[in-house]
């Protein structure tokens, strides 16, 4: 899990049917001192986070757990910090 800040959103013209109703947000991972740590990435939002929110993000197979184990999700927002 990583901590990140939401810095934007993505609009998709087509996406996986199991992602219907979920937002895609651009997040900036941060280090312990809240400075940017790496490049911004897109994550599926399970929490209704918004711009500027600090969030906890799961990576890998656990990222899609709230919407089903077989869903192709690489990063998922799990909590608002």
């Amino acid at each position: 899990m990583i901590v990140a800040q939401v810095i934007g959103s993505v609009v998709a013209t087509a996406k996986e049917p199991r992602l219907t109703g979920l937002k895609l947000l651009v997040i900036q991972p941060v280090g312990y001192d809240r400075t940017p740590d790496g490049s911004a990435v897109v994550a599926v939002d399970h929490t209704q986070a918004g711009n500027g929110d600090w969030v906890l993000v799961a990576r890998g197979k656990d990222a899609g757990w709230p919407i089903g184990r077989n869903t192709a999700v690489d990063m998922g927002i799990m909590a608002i910090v």
Side-chain angles (χ1 to χ4, degrees), residues 64-75:
W65 182 78
I67 52 178
R69 286 276 183 198
N70 296 324
T71 304
V73 174
D74 195 36
M75 294 208 128

Side-chain angles (χ1 to χ4, degrees), residues 5-10 24-28 41 50-52:
Q5 185 174 28
V6 178
I7 60 171
S9 61
V10 175
L24 301 175
L25 297 177
V26 181
I27 59 169
Q28 175 62 61
V41 294
N51 247 2

Side-chain angles (χ1 to χ4, degrees), residues 6-8 11 15 17 22-23 32 38 41 49 51 54 57 59 62 65-66 70-71 73-74 80:
V6 178
I7 60 171
V11 177
K15 60 183 172 181
L22 295 173
K23 292 189 295 185
Y32 290 109
V41 294
N51 247 2
W54 294 93
V57 181
R59 297 185 287 189
D62 293 331
W65 182 78
N70 296 324
T71 304
V73 174
D74 195 36
I80 299 173

Side-chain angles (χ1 to χ4, degrees), residues 30-47:
V30 295
Y32 290 109
D33 56 355
R34 291 191 176 189
T35 59
D37 184 21
S39 300
V41 294
V42 175
V44 175
D45 179 29
H46 305 289
T47 64

